[in-house]
Amino acid sequence: MPVYNEKVMDHFMSPRNVGEIDNADGVGEVGNPVCGDMMTFYIKVDDNHISDVKYKTFGCGAAIAVSSMVSEMAKGKTLEETKKITPALVAKELEGLPKNKYHCSNLGAQALNKAIDNYLKKQGKEGKGKKRGKK
Amino acid sequence: MREVYLDYVATTPVLPEVLEAMLPYFRDAYGNVQSLHNWGDKAREAVEGARGKVADLIGGEAEEIIFTASGTESNNFAIKGLAMAQQSKGKHIVVSAIEHFSVLHSSRTLEKWGFELTEVPVDKYGLVDPDKVARSLRKDTVLVSIMHANNEVGTIELIKEIANVVKQSGAIFHTDAVATAGTIPIDVRELGVDALSLAGNQFYGPKGVGALWLKKGVRIMPFLDGGVQEGGRRAGTEDVPAIVGLGKAAELAKAEMGARAKRFSALRDRLIAGLPAGIEHVTVTGHPTRRLPGNASFCVEFIEGEAMLMLLNHQGIAVSSGSACTSRALKASHVLIAMGIPHEIAQGSLLFSFGLDSTVGDVDYVLEAMPPIVDKLRQMSPLYSKFLKDKKGGKK
């Protein structure tokens, strides 16, 4: 019996949206090579929507499949909708992950959230700057 | 699709001659070894024949062989049984940092039972320094266990030299020879050990059978209490077909050992030369010369072992990895870490092991299949893009 189901294998074999975005609006990095997995997510935001998402992943089959699925789930959604992507939802969309691989689905959702936080932080800074300018 | 099994370290298949030897003991000569009638006699004869053959493989006496159900059992038996039998003399044991989990975890169980444990470090090749073993010995050291060769990186340890050191201290010396018995020549007297573990499925015998060789006169606590089987030290009805299979495999291994090793090492050397030549940032792990004939182990930088293993499997190639993701504990191989290999590099571990069905064509198929797989994973690796950026930055 294979460890991963067909859906996970499909995303692992042909991961969607792999890459980096130059001048990304937000970047989120989680994990480290010591624990075995590392993901970096890049997002472009247009009118409060995720207009583009890319990532790079160092990790096992599950980590790669999770990155791919998270990118698919986020694309075109509003930031509020994207914030609602939980590890459990990612695992559900992948039709299940082996028990010892659930932490990989955490990483995917975390990395995406971090990228959004990074975007919001940048926005906040710009906003403050504008305010100061107005004074 | 071509199917290439290069995971003989996980298990070997059962040779047809071994299977043939085993079959009669399932349905015809199915007696219990302990029975005092013709059925029992036939089974007893078969088991005693196998005992002699296993002893012959390692230069021991038949009466010094205790059959077990696996290499893991032999190691558990040796570590716990020998330490417990000597505990009136002291409660300190010594093992290396790269032992198989069946030795390491047994040692940690002994710690819970009140023993003290010293783990001797290894060098970057996975070699245990006999001097370091000497320095770890204490007055109350009762047991030392150092593996004959490491299963993951193939390094063959200096057992004879270590045995000399241990002998002077009076401690018992056990070696886990699961990776070497049936693969390279072993003479227990020449090695100077007191106990040695081996397993059938490492040299074309069946799974579920192993043996512990225990030098005459060395005391051990029984592993399973019950009847009189195996001298009362490992009770339970003997698995006659498996024991017969182990005996036959031992006989064949002894006869063919030289020819097998010559073939395997040629394949190993071809891969060890070819893989780093064809792919950048690939390092060979383990010792350059003191190495098991069928073991070719590597670390491929910037990518992770399980992902490589899965893509190789997709090409019909079966191998092992010591990456965290392939382990149940989600920790990178303790062997590679003990050798001082950084975690992120240890994650890219791959182990190819050769056996009787392996061919030069298999090696060439791997050499052809690997570069695109590594390239695909590096293209999506954040570590690799960082490396490329740093490299660019450095050049400026």
Side-chain angles (χ1 to χ4, degrees):
Chain A
M1 205 178 82
V3 174
Y4 295 123
N5 67 41
E6 275 179 38
K7 187 117 186 213
V8 176
M9 280 308 288
D10 176 44
H11 276 268
F12 167 69
M13 292 304 296
S14 326
R16 284 63 151 171
N17 309 311
V18 178
E20 291 171 17
I21 301 176
D22 294 334
N23 311 314
D25 294 325
V27 180
E29 187 181 294
V30 295
N32 61 67
V34 175
C35 75
D37 300 294
M38 191 175 151
M39 291 176 196
T40 312
F41 265 79
Y42 302 82
I43 53 167
K44 265 282 187 206
V45 182
D46 243 344
D47 194 19
N48 200 44
H49 283 69
I50 306 268
S51 58
D52 197 11
V53 52
K54 293 211 180 300
Y55 59 86
K56 288 232 164 164
T57 296
F58 166 89
C60 62
I64 291 170
V66 161
S67 314
S68 169
M69 180 53 86
V70 167
S71 73
E72 288 272 271
M73 288 167 79
K75 218 169 196 177
K77 292 230 171 82
T78 65
L79 295 185
E80 292 71 30
E81 285 167 338
T82 311
K83 277 271 184 187
K84 284 180 197 151
I85 297 174
T86 59
L89 268 180
V90 178
K92 200 181 156 197
E93 284 294 317
L94 283 169
E95 291 165 13
L97 282 169
K99 230 181 189 172
N100 65 341
K101 298 288 185 180
Y102 267 94
H103 73 283
C104 297
S105 56
N106 292 332
L107 286 177
Q110 268 173 30
L112 180 65
N113 263 307
K114 254 188 150 173
I116 295 173
D117 288 346
N118 178 247
Y119 163 74
L120 292 174
K121 209 176 152 192
K122 280 189 196 168
Q123 288 297 104
K125 269 182 191 165
E126 275 168 29
K128 271 177 200 166
K130 273 174 196 167
K131 270 178 193 171
R132 231 175 275 144
K134 271 180 185 172
K135 274 179 188 173
Chain B
M1 184 176 63
R2 186 173 180 139
E3 287 201 310
V4 177
Y5 182 82
L6 295 177
D7 201 11
Y8 288 87
V9 70
T11 188
T12 58
V14 171
L15 279 176
E17 299 95 309
V18 171
L19 180 63
E20 280 305 313
M22 291 168 70
L23 286 175
Y25 297 94
F26 285 103
R27 295 209 52 174
D28 302 329
Y30 55 79
N32 184 319
V33 172
Q34 304 304 327
S35 299
L36 301 174
H37 44 56
N38 286 346
W39 279 263
D41 290 348
K42 270 190 194 163
R44 196 155 49 248
E45 196 184 328
V47 165
E48 293 318 311
R51 202 183 299 281
K53 286 171 186 167
V54 172
D56 263 358
L57 178 68
I58 56 169
E61 301 289 328
E63 64 207 76
E64 296 172 322
I65 298 291
I66 306 170
F67 289 118
T68 66
S70 62
T72 287
E73 185 188 314
S74 299
N75 284 336
N76 269 263
F77 190 2
I79 300 300
K80 295 173 189 164
L82 290 168
M84 291 304 279
Q86 322 296 323
Q87 60 178 323
S88 61
K89 294 180 199 157
K91 286 193 148 191
H92 177 238
I93 60 171
V94 175
V95 302
S96 86
I98 60 163
E99 295 300 310
H100 187 262
F101 281 143
S102 53
V103 168
L104 275 182
H105 293 174
S106 291
S107 307
R108 286 172 196 162
T109 296
L110 282 172
E111 264 189 312
K112 286 181 201 148
W113 292 352
F115 283 79
E116 276 182 79
L117 170 65
T118 301
E119 282 180 28
V120 181
V122 295
D123 70 7
K124 63 177 177 176
Y125 299 121
L127 210 56
V128 177
D129 180 352
D131 285 342
K132 288 204 171 133
V133 176
R135 266 176 270 147
S136 72
L137 296 172
R138 309 189 325 205
K139 260 188 188 160
D140 60 343
T141 307
V142 287
L143 175 67
V144 177
S145 181
I146 309 286
M147 68 202 321
H148 191 196
N150 183 272
N151 48 313
E152 280 182 51
V153 295
T155 301
I156 300 169
E157 302 296 342
L158 300 155
I159 294 302
K160 221 165 140 178
E161 290 79 353
I162 297 170
N164 275 333
V165 166
V166 178
K167 209 171 279 169
Q168 289 166 22
S169 80
I172 304 281
F173 185 34
H174 164 258
T175 189
D176 167 8
V178 168
T180 51
T183 299
I184 60 173
I186 292 180
D187 184 320
V188 285
R189 313 280 168 202
E190 207 186 300
L191 278 180
V193 295
D194 299 303
L196 177 146
S197 301
L198 60 87
N201 74 326
Q202 293 292 311
F203 54 96
Y204 307 91
K207 296 165 190 68
V209 66
L212 177 67
W213 170 83
L214 185 64
K215 195 165 85 180
K216 217 179 288 173
V218 175
R219 288 180 55 224
I220 194 163
M221 189 181 82
F223 189 69
L224 291 174
D225 290 311
V228 298
Q229 294 90 352
E230 301 303 297
R233 293 172 294 188
R234 203 278 184 186
T237 302
E238 296 86 347
D239 186 343
V240 180
I243 289 170
V244 168
L246 177 66
K248 186 69 189 175
E251 183 187 1
L252 293 169
K254 197 185 177 193
E256 299 169 11
M257 193 174 288
R260 287 183 191 177
K262 203 175 157 192
R263 268 193 52 208
F264 300 168
S265 52
L267 299 172
R268 171 198 70 188
D269 294 345
R270 190 178 179 90
L271 187 60
I272 283 182
L275 204 61
I279 306 169
E280 282 189 321
H281 307 291
V282 171
T283 48
V284 178
T285 55
H287 201 276
T289 52
R290 297 188 60 87
R291 189 171 191 105
L292 287 173
N295 173 300
S297 56
F298 305 91
C299 282
V300 183
E301 281 186 62
F302 314 117
I303 54 179
E304 189 276 332
E306 190 207 81
M308 272 190 282
L309 198 149
M310 285 169 67
L311 290 174
L312 281 166
N313 188 47
H314 193 71
Q315 304 281 317
I317 301 168
V319 300
S320 283
S321 169
S323 88
C325 301
T326 55
S327 76
R328 265 184 60 198
L330 296 174
K331 280 184 189 159
S333 152
H334 68 288
V335 176
L336 300 175
I337 300 302
M339 287 160 62
I341 295 173
H343 275 89
E344 66 267 30
I345 294 176
Q347 298 292 6
S349 118
L350 270 192
L351 167 53
F352 299 84
S353 43
F354 296 101
L356 287 176
D357 291 325
S358 306
T359 63
V360 171
D362 291 346
V363 178
D364 293 344
Y365 183 59
V366 169
L367 290 174
E368 205 178 292
M370 274 293 284
I373 288 174
V374 172
D375 192 51
K376 180 180 179 176
L377 292 172
R378 279 184 179 165
Q379 285 312 315
M380 59 186 304
S381 162
L383 294 178
Y384 191 57
S385 47
K386 260 181 199 155
F387 165 77
L388 291 180
K389 275 171 202 160
D390 290 351
K391 204 170 143 190
K392 248 188 181 174
K395 271 182 187 167
K396 270 177 190 172

